[in-house]
Amino acid sequence: MIERKPRLLAIANEVTKGGYPVDVGTDHGYLPAYLVKQGIVSRALAADIGEGPLLAAKQHIEALSLSDRIELRLCDGLTGIDLSDKTDIIIAGLGGETIAEILLRRHPLSQTLLLQPMTKVETLRRFLLEHGYRIEKEIPAYEEKKAYTIIKARYDGVIRKGDALFFTFGALPQSEKKEKYLYFQSLLSRLEKKQKGLQKAQTQERTELDRLAILIAKAKEYLQEEIYDHHSGNL
Ligand SMILES: C[S@@+](CC[C@H](N)C(=O)[O-])C[C@H]1O[C@@H](n2cnc3c(N)ncnc32)[C@H](O)[C@@H]1O
């Protein structure tokens, strides 16, 4: 199950030990089941908007005899969930905009946020900074030939002004994990694809092309640093 999902394992590593997490969009319920089974936490809440996914989670949790320690909840985002005793909010596998909307509806949140967006990562980073959440770190993960980032953030009320570089790369350059190399590679090919598209369309959007050129140069720079590290045996 989760053993074959490095993305979820990377999240599990960051959950508050002995805490009480909520997993929003739990689907099969693998993550809360793993957290309780491994003794990382003693209880968890698994929530999903879909009846089908929640039924799958119920079956998985029952099969592991964890029903007394994992509560299931059919709801949209964090709607109706008592957060007063919760330590972590996990939202993985949803789009960045949807994650931001879910957080906004219960803003501000004092729990540790563990967020893994599938799309619109830049939008989510911007949302966090502009709403007083500090991005403590990002953990890159590589699963089924795709690179992901897991954002760990906490509310401190300080509104930060990010720039295009931060919204694009986030705190990944500071990560020690070698998977960030794969993340930068996929980011670079996405940026280059966008650049080609704009060039082909002979767009007049000079500012956007200039912006892309800077981001592409930065991505290459990060990749070079990684290659250098690799050759010097630091990976
Ligand atoms: C791709 S799955 C991700 C499952 C798991 N979290 C993971 O990362 O492997 C997305 C799940 O989020 C649920 N979902 C989508 N929008 C949601 C929302 N607004 N509130 C709660 N769950 C939602 C879907 O029903 C689905 O089960």
Side-chain angles (χ1 to χ4, degrees):
M1 310 288 174
I2 192 174
E3 284 73 14
R4 275 178 270 131
K5 293 190 173 286
R7 192 175 49 83
L8 296 183
L9 281 174
I11 297 173
N13 267 334
E14 298 297 326
V15 170
T16 308
K17 309 272 179 291
Y20 187 179
V22 186
D23 183 29
V24 176
T26 196
D27 199 354
H28 31 63
Y30 291 165
L31 186 53
Y34 176 83
L35 289 168
V36 175
K37 194 89 190 154
Q38 294 299 311
I40 298 169
V41 301
S42 53
R43 55 191 180 154
L45 194 150
D48 205 288
I49 200 171
E51 283 182 22
L54 211 62
L55 182 63
K58 186 173 187 285
Q59 286 165 350
H60 182 61
I61 287 160
E62 276 176 3
L64 294 170
S65 308
L66 298 173
S67 307
D68 54 336
R69 286 180 279 163
I70 303 175
E71 188 189 334
L72 294 160
R73 190 73 68 85
L74 183 68
C75 63
D76 180 357
L78 292 162
T79 309
I81 294 178
D82 175 8
L83 293 174
S84 60
D85 51 358
K86 306 299 183 297
T87 53
D88 305 68
I89 293 168
I90 303 162
I91 315 180
L94 276 76
E97 278 174 352
T98 307
I99 294 176
E101 278 166 27
I102 290 173
L103 299 175
L104 186 60
R105 279 188 261 148
R106 296 294 296 267
H107 183 70
L109 290 156
S110 59
Q111 293 75 11
T112 296
L113 305 183
L114 293 166
L115 314 170
Q116 182 270 299
M118 300 300 276
T119 55
K120 305 268 180 181
V121 187
E122 297 82 1
T123 309
L124 181 59
R125 291 192 185 110
R126 180 191 284 271
F127 167 85
L128 291 169
L129 262 60
E130 291 179 351
H131 287 79
Y133 292 94
R134 190 171 85 82
I135 295 182
E136 289 186 350
K137 67 168 166 170
E138 290 193 38
I139 306 108
Y142 194 67
E143 184 176 299
E144 290 178 11
K145 298 185 181 163
K146 285 204 183 107
Y148 301 95
T149 186
I150 293 139
I151 302 175
K152 185 172 192 175
R154 209 185 291 268
Y155 183 77
D156 65 4
V158 178
I159 312 297
R160 294 171 175 84
K161 214 173 118 37
D163 57 14
L165 282 181
F166 187 80
F167 296 141
T168 307
F169 300 99
L172 278 168
Q174 287 81 52
S175 169
E176 298 289 312
K177 302 242 174 218
K178 66 178 180 351
E179 286 87 348
K180 73 177 174 183
Y181 173 74
L182 300 161
Y183 191 90
F184 292 144
Q185 258 182 342
S186 84
L187 196 55
L188 177 62
S189 66
R190 193 154 57 85
L191 292 167
E192 285 181 332
K193 209 164 143 192
K194 203 167 166 189
Q195 186 187 48
K196 278 202 190 90
L198 282 181
Q199 283 165 342
K200 211 166 158 190
Q202 295 194 321
T203 176
Q204 300 302 307
E205 285 187 62
R206 275 274 23 119
T207 19
E208 180 58 7
L209 276 170
D210 291 347
R211 196 182 74 92
L212 277 172
I214 293 168
L215 296 176
I216 286 169
K218 199 70 193 170
K220 285 181 177 167
E221 195 185 303
Y222 286 140
L223 280 168
Q224 278 304 320
E225 281 171 20
E226 290 299 309
I227 290 163
Y228 174 77
D229 270 1
H230 184 64
H231 285 163
S232 57
N234 290 340
L235 267 182

